[in-house]
Amino acid sequence: MAKPVKPASPVNPGAKALNVLVIKLSALGDFVLALGAMKAVREMHPKARITLLTTPFFKEFAELCPYVDAVETDGRPDGMKATAALITRIRKAKYDIIYDFQTSGRTKNYFTALSKTGKAPLWSGHHERAAFFHDNGERGTMHSIDRLAEQLEVAGVAPGGRWLGNTAPKPDLSWVRPKLRDAPRLQPAYFSIEEPYMLLIPGASAHREAKRWPVENYAELAKRVADAGVTPVIIGGKAEGPLAHEIVRKEPRTKSLTTRTDLFQIVGLAEKALFVVGNDTGPMHMAAIAGAPGVALFALTESNPDHAAPRGDKTIIINSAPTLAELSVDDVWQSVRALGVLPS
């Protein structure tokens, strides 16, 4: 009796690929941390048209990103009809390979739906039937950069099959200023800000109070910063408006830019900031990647810096209190001074 033929191991199409899909839906911090993996995909498939499936929030930013050629923003379709249309469009596109960098229950369901009729697409992600299944029980506690790097190893996207030492693909935002031709809106002067200035990022998930350093502490820190001859500048969205208002009320030398900065401007301001202080939130990750020296605030009960902290070369992580309410201004100020950037 003949022995059953063992199915061949899947092979990444590499430079032969002409049509590639990358899925990354949110959130801001995770999205920017995935830029290194997106760059690695671009280098793996130099001739391919790479499409990014994401959400409307990232449309403008992604359309200028050099790692993708097309952007589709219906990655979270509303309702069964829209979901069916998305699945049909992906199936008809006949992608040579799909990289799921979201690896959520939603995107796993996309693979399941695509596999129901016809041959399953060549898929990199966290699905047990995927050609390149990232089967690591510890993946949920890995830093996003390390998790995506290992996922790419499984998919054959790594020199010699492994990222050795410190070679895992790191996110890079140095393309932002050249892509926008160093536009005036990227400059501090656009906001009537003079150097030296620093960025305060007081926001975080509203439903996770332990991740927020108290507003009165930010106000006291702003006072010390201003006394040192540096302008504190607050960035954030609409949700951070009340926090910014309170900080400015307590320390009028602070300037609030809440709701006034897009993602490109966050990068531009961070590149020229003396330093940045912020909670575990997307703009803090962006500032660190953009190269700003910084102090990132984490609560022991909420975040493990081994898998959630900004990966900036000049970032100090404070993770010494059960909640951020128990973290003193003196502790943060000591770390700010340790950055070595304050004016003499």
Side-chain angles (χ1 to χ4, degrees), residues 90-91 94-98 110-124 129-132:
I90 295 175
R91 183 180 291 117
K94 296 183 179 179
Y95 292 105
D96 294 299
I97 184 169
I98 298 175
Y110 291 170
F111 176 83
T112 300
L114 288 166
S115 305
K116 282 184 177 178
T117 58
K119 184 179 179 182
L122 207 56
W123 185 281
S124 164
R129 288 167 48 207
F132 304 111

Side-chain angles (χ1 to χ4, degrees), residues 173-183 186-188 267-269 271-272:
L173 292 168
S174 63
W175 53 268
V176 168
R177 196 174 291 275
K179 277 281 188 178
L180 291 176
R181 300 182 180 179
D182 203 15
L186 299 179
Q187 315 304 329
V267 175
L269 288 170
E271 286 177 337
K272 296 191 175 184

Side-chain angles (χ1 to χ4, degrees), residues 21-26 31 34 38 51-54 75 90 98-104 107 110-111 114 123:
L21 180 67
V22 171
I23 304 174
K24 189 59 189 172
L25 309 180
S26 65
F31 186 92
M38 293 184 198
T51 300
L52 172 67
L53 179 63
T54 186
I90 295 175
I98 298 175
Y99 295 90
D100 175 14
F101 290 155
Q102 190 69 23
T103 58
S104 63
T107 55
Y110 291 170
F111 176 83
L114 288 166
W123 185 281

